[in-house]
Amino acid sequence: MSVGPSAAAARRPALPALTAPADRPFGVYIHVPFCATRCGYCDFNTYTPAELGAGGATPDGWLTALRAELQMAAAHLGEPPPVSTVFVGGGTPSLLGAAGLARVLDAVRADFTLTPDAEITTESNPESTSPRFFAGLRAAGYTRVSLGMQSTAPHVLRALDRVHSPGRAVDAAREARAEGFDHVNLDLIYGTPGETDDDLLRSADAAVEAGVDHVSGYALIVEDGTALARRVRRGEIARPDDDVHARRYELLDRRLTDAGFTWYEVSNWSRPDGECRHNLGYWDGGQWWGAGPGAHGYVDATRWWNVKHPNAYAATLETGALPVADLEAIDAETSHVEEVMLKTRLRTGLPAATLSARERERAAVAVADGLLRADGQSFVLTDRGRLLADAVVRDLLT
């Protein structure tokens, strides 16, 4: 059923004319807002069937709206730049199945030109994958898969409200490799209440033994409004401990380093040539169009974000307007702050030339304190500095 323009839609800001710089990588991010269940720690813009209710958004309706947004995006960019990376995230993209994800990629190709070596990634829940699923992804043109593993410890998965069995993520990674994926990532979460050092080490070992070329490791954060936050507030489980987080990070880093992985961003490790190029675009000055409910985009010193609810997203596009909820112009000062924040997290480091004289003085103090090291013309976090990366950035910008 067609939904007419609303007063809220009429108040939404319009994107200015945008021109993507030719000297920066350009990516497309696609947000799939559907999940079978909601994990207790998750505050992402996702919706279960129960939350959408009868008559709510469906995958087919979402895909129709997505095609409309991508067509408008290409027209808005005038001369769409070649796309070097595509990342389908969520939510649970694998709920669409291989055929649905092929249609998503077809929608991107309909209005954008992908470079011959484009990296094309989809996130997947291990429980909604199979050898046939991975074979279908390969046939569609996907080059990289990211799987939510979190842990191999059953009690940790229960605490996180994860529904996949402890060994399923490892099996899925092996299936993806067997179907021809050279680039497979497993996500780990550390610091869950009830987790032990050995739990994390066993999870890291399982990831390595699965033959993947990329591992992401994230400290558990208690986000307001989540089921986990309510359990912590009621005293049912303890709030994650910062000292435990630091020790677990060191354990994970040591185990992955011993296995031949190298950190290239504070929370990401890869084997040679296994870095996620799409995410590097976020951290290292790339630009991208974010499509889908709640997706964020950044082009030509403008950042914007879409309306969150899938129904409102589709309704706005039916009016012929881009589904922009709000936007901001990124001035030189904000751009500088973000460059320092993001590049400090990279193993390639923060170029000294980007810093003011005062900031270089602060960097010298961090070097003396053992938090940064000078590496050619850049400043790079030390092992200890990675544990305190946010504080290092704050001190640099003071």
Side-chain angles (χ1 to χ4, degrees), residues 269-341:
W269 294 259
S270 76
R271 296 191 185 278
D273 300 320
E275 299 90 346
C276 177
R277 287 164 46 203
H278 185 85
N279 286 344
L280 277 172
Y282 295 151
W283 298 315
D284 201 24
Q287 306 216 342
W288 67 95
W289 191 284
H296 286 57
Y298 175 58
V299 178
D300 198 13
T302 298
R303 180 185 292 117
W304 71 95
W305 46 98
N306 285 346
V307 295
K308 286 188 171 184
H309 200 283
N311 294 347
Y313 170 77
T316 303
L317 285 158
E318 285 188 359
T319 71
L322 284 167
V324 176
D326 209 347
L327 58 85
E328 60 179 331
I330 306 302
D331 59 22
E333 180 179 357
T334 302
S335 179
H336 173 72
V337 168
E338 293 183 355
E339 182 177 19
V340 172
M341 289 174 58

Side-chain angles (χ1 to χ4, degrees), residues 137-154:
L137 291 186
R138 287 292 295 155
Y142 285 84
T143 67
R144 188 174 181 277
V145 175
S146 182
L147 295 159
M149 177 179 179
Q150 280 66 55
S151 177
T152 58

Side-chain angles (χ1 to χ4, degrees), residues 347-359:
R347 187 181 182 90
T348 51
L350 177 65
T354 66
L355 301 177
S356 68
R358 174 59 177 161
E359 289 165 348

Side-chain angles (χ1 to χ4, degrees), residues 25-61:
F26 185 83
V28 173
Y29 172 76
I30 306 290
H31 187 73
V32 180
F34 306 110
C35 277
T37 61
R38 181 174 294 280
C39 299
Y41 61 90
C42 178
D43 72 337
F44 294 167
N45 187 47
T46 62
Y47 303 84
T48 66
E51 290 168 341
L52 289 169
T58 65
D60 282 344

Side-chain angles (χ1 to χ4, degrees), residues 239-251:
R239 181 173 292 276
D241 182 86
D242 288 343
D243 290 337
V244 171
H245 277 167
R247 184 172 73 252
R248 298 272 161 76
Y249 180 89
E250 290 176 321
L251 289 173

Side-chain angles (χ1 to χ4, degrees), residues 337-377:
V337 168
E338 293 183 355
E339 182 177 19
V340 172
M341 289 174 58
L342 295 170
K343 289 189 175 180
T344 298
R345 295 181 63 86
L346 294 174
R347 187 181 182 90
T348 51
L350 177 65
T354 66
L355 301 177
S356 68
R358 174 59 177 161
E359 289 165 348
R360 284 194 291 273
E361 291 175 2
R362 301 296 297 169
V365 172
V367 169
D369 290 341
L371 300 174
L372 290 174
R373 60 181 175 83
D375 185 0
Q377 300 301 309

Side-chain angles (χ1 to χ4, degrees), residues 1 28 39 133 137 163 173 178 196 208 236 317 384:
M1 180 177 68
V28 173
C39 299
F133 169 81
L137 291 186
V163 297
T196 67
V208 170
E236 295 175 9
L317 285 158
R384 178 167 167 262

